Amino acid sequence: MKIIIKILRLITTFIGVTLLSFVLIHYSNIDPAEAYARRNYVRVTNSQIKEIRKKFGYDKPMAEQYFKYIKRLLKGDMGISFRTNNPVFKDIKNTLPSTLILVLTSAIWIALFSICFGTLSALKKNTLLDIIIGFITMIGISLPTFWLGYILLLYFAVKFPLFKVVDYGTVKSLILPSLTFAIPIASSFIRIIRGDLIKELNTDYIIYAKARGIKGFTLLWYVLVNILPPIISLFFQNLGFMLGGSAIIESVFSWPGFGSYFISSILEKDLPAISGCLIVITVLFIFFNSLALLLNKKLNPRII
């Protein structure tokens, strides 16, 4: 029963997002027929706009348009991009994998940095090492990602040419952009894990466990299992935000990805592409949240 309720919530969320995005686009000051005409004709006339509006069904009532849109969407048809004249699904299929690779590589950095340095900082509370980690993480949290990206390029691609300024398609090309993505988020997670660990280490059950002789990694594992569920949820939510906000990193590192495609679509008033990108981001958000729920359930079966 609980699984059915959760599935219904996911379906409701998806329908809600598609409806909201459709209504907002429908009531925006952008006429999709006019936008399409200006992209494909040198001289645009009212008769051409009316013809395009009739061809794509923009003259139909909004409810009818929405149900036709959902029907096409269920078949994998997101429409034709005004900007590229390609199916939106094809454009997204070509751009999304590179961004997903970038985001997942950043996620690995975030997990490694957060758990290692957050745990170390908590275990070495109020020592010089804790102070240094705290100082570095405060700087990391404060850094704008675009500025951090330019600094990394300046020092590691220009002054010390360990990497190329423009590079794509190799494992090495992932390092600088993924670190740029990871450092601010990891800095925040390090502070969260440190605070939660310190608080958890002072609870009664930990004092009792120590009295029974449980210590070292075994004790640390029990503590981590108890503090990780909310952190895991936040972590997977950040993956969704990273996907939607990847355009900044991609522009700094000339990375051909989904974020750049999304921003270009917005600037060019490419409504089918904008709608398709919103759908993809929604689906991935739902997927990441579901994954977080399953992982938390595995760590702690008491979680509903």
Side-chain angles (χ1 to χ4, degrees), residues 131-234:
I131 294 170
I132 292 171
I133 292 174
F135 178 73
I136 293 172
T137 53
M138 287 303 296
I139 294 174
I141 293 169
S142 306
L143 290 176
T145 51
F146 70 89
W147 186 84
L148 177 60
Y150 284 126
I151 292 297
L152 291 177
L153 277 176
L154 176 64
Y155 281 97
F156 296 105
V158 179
K159 291 190 175 182
F160 305 100
L162 301 173
F163 302 92
K164 295 179 182 178
V165 175
V166 178
D167 194 11
Y168 173 73
T170 64
V171 175
K172 192 176 180 180
S173 67
L174 281 167
I175 295 175
L176 289 184
S178 62
L179 281 174
T180 304
F181 244 148
I183 288 172
I185 299 173
S187 298
S188 177
F189 274 98
I190 288 169
R191 304 302 300 171
I192 293 171
I193 289 175
R194 177 191 180 275
D196 287 354
L197 264 178
I198 291 172
K199 183 180 178 181
E200 197 72 16
L201 285 169
N202 291 320
T203 54
D204 293 339
Y205 81 94
I206 293 296
I207 296 171
Y208 175 71
K210 288 179 180 178
R212 291 190 60 187
I214 301 174
K215 56 184 179 180
F217 181 77
T218 304
L219 182 66
L220 186 60
W221 171 251
Y222 284 127
V223 176
L224 286 173
V225 165
N226 283 314
I227 70 164
L228 278 180
I231 295 171
I232 288 173
S233 298
L234 189 60

Side-chain angles (χ1 to χ4, degrees), residues 36-45 48 51-52 55:
Y36 180 86
R38 294 192 182 282
R39 291 289 304 178
N40 291 276
Y41 300 106
V42 177
R43 293 183 179 180
V44 180
T45 63
Q48 288 174 329
E51 185 180 341
I52 292 167
K55 177 183 176 182

Side-chain angles (χ1 to χ4, degrees), residues 4-120:
I4 295 173
I5 292 172
K6 290 183 186 299
I7 292 172
L8 288 174
R9 283 177 182 174
L10 295 178
I11 294 171
T12 304
T13 302
F14 178 78
I15 293 173
V17 171
T18 58
L19 180 60
L20 181 61
S21 62
F22 186 85
V23 170
L24 289 175
I25 289 173
H26 186 84
Y27 283 107
S28 69
N29 58 359
I30 302 171
D31 183 352
E34 183 179 350
Y36 180 86
R38 294 192 182 282
R39 291 289 304 178
N40 291 276
Y41 300 106
V42 177
R43 293 183 179 180
V44 180
T45 63
N46 289 331
S47 60
Q48 288 174 329
I49 294 173
K50 287 180 181 179
E51 185 180 341
I52 292 167
R53 191 175 287 118
K54 186 176 181 180
K55 177 183 176 182
F56 289 103
Y58 295 135
D59 58 337
K60 303 292 183 183
M62 189 177 71
E64 185 178 341
Q65 288 186 51
Y66 176 72
F67 285 114
K68 284 185 177 180
Y69 169 70
I70 292 295
K71 189 177 179 181
R72 293 198 312 268
L73 196 61
L74 293 173
K75 295 178 181 179
D77 181 7
M78 296 180 176
I80 303 297
S81 169
F82 296 163
R83 186 166 54 91
T84 65
N85 287 322
N86 294 326
V88 173
F89 182 83
K90 181 181 178 181
D91 285 342
I92 293 175
K93 184 181 176 181
N94 291 335
T95 56
L96 185 60
S98 59
T99 298
L100 283 176
I101 291 170
L102 180 60
V103 169
L104 293 176
T105 306
S106 303
I108 293 171
W109 289 121
I110 293 168
L112 287 174
F113 291 158
S114 301
I115 294 173
C116 292
F117 291 108
T119 303
L120 188 62

